[in-house]
Amino acid sequence: MLTGDEPGYHVGVRERLAEFGFDDFVGYVAWACERSLERGVLAHTNLGGLSAGDLARLREVTASQGLMLESLRADLVAHQGSPTKDPALRLATIRAAGELRIPFTSGILVGIGESRQDRLDALGALAAVHGEYGHLQEVILQNFVPHRRYYGEEPADIATEAAERYWRTGLGTHPQLLLPDWACEISIDDMLELVTASRELMPDVGVQIPPNLADWWPQLIAAGATDLGGLSANGDHISPEHPFPSPHKVRKTLAPLGYALTERLCVYPQYLDREWMAQGVLDVVKTKYWSFIPRGASGRREERVIRRDLVAGAIAKGRDGVSLSEDELTALFAENRPEAIEDMRQAADELRAELAGDTVTFVVNRNINVSNVCIVGCAFCGFGQGKRSPDAYQHPGQEFRARIRDAVDYGATELCIQSGIHPDWSFEDYLAYLRIAKDEAAQLHLHAYSPMEIAHIADISGRPLPEIFAGLQAAGLGSTPGTAAEVLHDGVRERISPNKLPVARWIEVIEASHRSGLRSTSTVMFGHIEEPWELAEHMRVIRTLQERTGGFTEFVPLSFIPFQTLLGRTHGVEEISPEENLKHTAVFRLALGKTITNLQASWVKMGLDTATEALRWGVNDLGGTLMEESISRLAGSYHGVRLDPPQLIAAAHKAGRPAAERTTLYDIRCRYELPLLAL
């Protein structure tokens, strides 16, 4: 909610406020913010220079506030006739916001007649205030653009029309007007200097570049700018003939440069707690936008005492294959003492040697993600797209056949088929892909359809699970992936994917698969918002299910890739470290005991070097060659989408272990013994 100078100065505004029953303009804005919160919409206000009392009133109903410093120069022609453009008043407002612990946005306006040193001085003044209070979440580096007069016109209508045209056609024309006599030219070099200076002066503060006022914003992002402000669909009401680019256009521009466009709230994540926000506002965030809250401040963590005294005994029990309690598993997953972690590693490696021997296995396979259209909307996924998204795809029959032929030519023995949950597919569509694959290459083992896909087939067809699996087997299905598991704890699932099947349904589908004679893999996705005890519950579910059915061929830990996912962007979840990844791998082996022989390292998630090291942490399998892997890649994985057999063999040999190519069900096809050492 934005104004220029405090409108209460104007007689007509004061009369209208009185008519509405408000004593002043700030009271009216606070009322509007309350109505906004009632509708689950957060308010950010920028009302010019305000007193501490007015800032405090607004703090009760806003998520953040802002005020541009613009310049320290009090004599600029551009500011004549504007009472609140006084630099001292503006700095006082910004400082008062810091004292009140208000998340704040400020910035400078350049090209209004100031000198280079004036700009740097203004940034220095903002850095000094932020150094006192730590409340500046971002600084805006805004270049002045001249405007024509809008007397007798409504700027909002002009802005909306320009934005709708630009977003619809991708064609935008910005007016080229002469600069006023008091203005000065701004170049990209000037802006690059300011981005660099801002990063140096305020390294913990975001740097915002308006993307509608010049075409240089991609270069400024490369130089260190971090934010593009609000990409408003109804345009910029301050510069109405300069519409913002659409998020799709921005995303397409950034992707080739290696950047992902990410969404945020008007308040930055580090301020989402009771120290910085009124409880009523924070309650709205927790209810409507909880996934934006950093893990430590979400209010959704259940603090528990970690029984570190149980670790040594749990390691010994796990090594012997004895089932571990929730407290024991929780302690292992939470452990951070180097000596204890080394004990875990040794125990996991010994258990691996006992169960699987020294041979490192892999399968030559190809992943085919037939379509990325998905209606589920998982916060951890960068793959799924809406049906009308420009990035949506579905492989036609001939393309699907061509990929199968490529797999055969490559020497693949397995085809792994998974897709998004497509709203238009019927049971027959799922059967058709299996039949096409068998028609094209009858010798391939078809490893297809996650429990989420199977549950969806049941929902849309009304058929019982045994009948569904019988139909899929008749069409050529050979085994099922145990994906869509994420963390088998409904509390976690509600946080990261509330539309996905619950734990009980996942178990029901897997059990039905095993009863039909189909083997399955089992998985976990870890390293995001889950807690150690939630992972402990996941492993309890997997182990007891395996003890009941014996249908799992392997367990595959999948570390979370955050970079281009909503969960990673809004939760501040960073990629799990290689050290933590390896520790978890060892715990997974100990948690499974002797129930599942094969533990896989996912090289596409952790990278080949870490996967090779994982061979010392309980792992005996390096997974598949994949050939293409869209789900991890689109989440931001940087480890590639294909490894050739010689690379996997070399990884095993580097770890001092023989290698073997296997089938999906772990029959050995070809062995690759360690090379003899040269004399």
Side-chain angles (χ1 to χ4, degrees), residues 122-269:
L123 287 176
L126 290 174
V129 177
H130 178 68
E132 288 184 69
Y133 303 108
H135 66 311
L136 291 187
Q137 56 181 5
E138 61 182 340
V139 292
I140 302 173
L141 305 178
Q142 182 170 341
N143 56 296
F144 168 74
V145 294
H147 304 141
R148 64 180 176 83
R149 298 291 184 178
Y150 298 110
Y151 293 135
E153 297 180 275
E154 174 51 69
D157 292 340
I158 299 170
T160 298
E161 196 228 340
E164 289 179 349
R165 182 174 61 251
Y166 191 24
W167 285 33
R168 184 178 64 252
T169 66
L171 303 174
T173 56
H174 295 174
Q176 301 296 320
L177 302 176
L178 294 176
L179 288 174
D181 293 339
W182 45 260
C184 53
E185 199 77 49
I186 295 295
S187 70
I188 187 172
D189 290 335
D190 296 322
M191 297 299 292
L192 289 169
E193 180 184 41
L194 293 175
V195 170
T196 301
S198 298
R199 301 298 295 160
E200 290 176 352
L201 289 166
M202 295 168 279
D204 59 334
V205 175
V207 178
Q208 184 185 130
I209 302 295
N212 62 319
L213 302 182
D215 293 330
W216 52 40
W217 57 268
Q219 295 98 303
L220 300 183
I221 288 174
T226 60
D227 193 86
L228 294 175
L231 300 179
S232 172
N234 65 338
D236 184 344
H237 290 193
I238 306 301
S239 303
E241 293 176 290
H242 295 261
F244 295 102
S246 68
H248 177 69
K249 184 176 181 65
V250 171
R251 189 175 291 113
K252 288 294 189 183
T253 302
L254 292 177
L257 305 177
Y259 297 100
L261 179 67
T262 66
E263 183 183 359
R264 64 166 172 87
L265 300 179
C266 61
V267 54
Y268 276 43

Side-chain angles (χ1 to χ4, degrees), residues 40 119 171 207-208 221 274 353 432-433 619 673:
R119 301 164 197 156
L171 303 174
V207 178
Q208 184 185 130
I221 288 174
R274 283 175 292 188
Y433 283 110
V619 165
E673 301 299 335

Side-chain angles (χ1 to χ4, degrees), residues 327-645:
D327 285 344
E328 288 171 325
L329 281 172
T330 296
L332 292 183
F333 281 121
E335 184 56 73
N336 56 14
R337 293 170 293 178
E339 65 276 12
I341 293 173
E342 174 58 20
D343 289 343
M344 288 183 210
R345 187 201 67 75
Q346 291 185 26
D349 202 43
E350 290 174 9
L351 184 57
R352 180 271 310 160
E354 177 186 336
L355 295 177
D358 286 338
T359 300
V360 176
T361 52
F362 65 91
V363 64
V364 181
N365 67 348
R366 174 164 197 162
N367 265 27
I368 299 182
N369 304 121
V370 181
S371 174
N372 66 347
V373 174
C374 189
I375 58 175
V376 179
C378 301
F380 57 82
C381 180
F383 172 74
Q385 297 289 323
K387 182 179 174 182
R388 292 177 176 82
S389 167
D391 296 322
Y393 75 83
Q394 178 177 332
H395 294 320
Q398 289 306 311
E399 174 66 20
F400 184 58
R401 287 181 179 274
R403 289 170 186 261
I404 296 171
R405 289 193 292 271
D406 287 345
V408 172
D409 293 342
Y410 184 68
T413 61
E414 173 195 298
L415 196 65
C416 181
I417 307 172
Q418 295 185 85
S419 299
I421 303 302
H422 199 298
D424 297 337
W425 286 5
S426 66
F427 185 21
E428 185 58 37
D429 291 305
Y430 289 93
L431 295 171
Y433 283 110
L434 297 176
R435 292 172 182 144
I436 291 171
K438 278 299 181 183
D439 178 65
E440 194 64 43
Q443 72 276 23
L444 287 179
H445 179 102
L446 302 186
H447 182 68
Y449 303 149
S450 72
M452 184 69 205
E453 290 174 284
I454 300 296
H456 178 64
I457 292 171
D459 290 342
I460 60 176
S461 69
R463 300 169 187 258
L465 290 173
E467 183 179 333
I468 290 170
F469 280 115
L472 293 172
Q473 284 179 284
L477 183 64
S479 62
T480 54
T483 50
E486 280 62 82
V487 176
L488 293 170
H489 182 289
D490 281 326
V492 179
R493 300 174 80 78
E494 288 168 4
R495 283 178 274 165
I496 66 175
S497 185
N499 299 321
K500 211 155 196 177
L501 74 174
V503 173
R505 184 62 165 162
W506 188 91
I507 294 172
E508 183 184 7
V509 172
I510 289 293
E511 283 192 316
S513 172
H514 294 176
R515 280 196 302 271
S516 72
L518 292 167
R519 304 289 299 279
S520 301
T521 59
S522 56
T523 65
V524 63
M525 185 188 72
F526 66 102
H528 42 91
I529 65 168
E530 84 287 349
E531 300 291 353
W533 44 90
E534 293 164 337
L535 280 181
E537 170 63 11
H538 180 97
M539 298 312 295
R540 184 198 68 77
V541 171
I542 294 293
R543 179 164 178 152
T544 56
L545 186 52
Q546 178 70 345
E547 290 170 344
R548 198 157 61 241
T549 71
F552 289 131
T553 56
E554 65 196 50
F555 184 77
V556 188
L558 303 168
S559 51
F560 173 57
I561 304 296
F563 305 111
Q564 298 190 44
T565 67
L566 179 65
L567 183 63
R569 299 193 307 255
T570 62
H571 243 77
V573 179
E574 298 180 353
E575 184 180 24
I576 192 171
S577 70
E579 293 77 17
E580 275 292 300
N581 208 329
L582 292 168
K583 181 197 78 174
H584 278 73
T585 299
V587 179
F588 292 135
R589 171 63 84 178
L590 297 175
L592 294 169
K594 299 179 182 181
T595 61
I596 299 179
T597 299
N598 302 298
L599 180 66
Q600 184 182 120
S602 174
W603 59 263
V604 75
K605 301 286 189 182
M606 62 172 59
L608 185 57
D609 289 343
T610 305
T612 302
E613 172 61 20
L615 296 174
R616 299 176 60 246
W617 294 73
V619 165
N620 68 291
D621 187 78
L622 289 176
T625 52
L626 300 184
M627 293 184 68
E628 62 176 284
E629 205 290 327
S630 298
I631 295 174
S632 296
R633 175 176 61 84
L634 290 170
S637 175
Y638 49 88
H639 298 300
V641 296
R642 165 176 164 172
L643 285 180
D644 296 327

Side-chain angles (χ1 to χ4, degrees), residues 42-57:
L42 302 176
H44 170 88
T45 54
N46 186 330
L47 307 185
L50 295 178
S51 68
D54 285 341
L55 291 171
R57 291 161 66 193

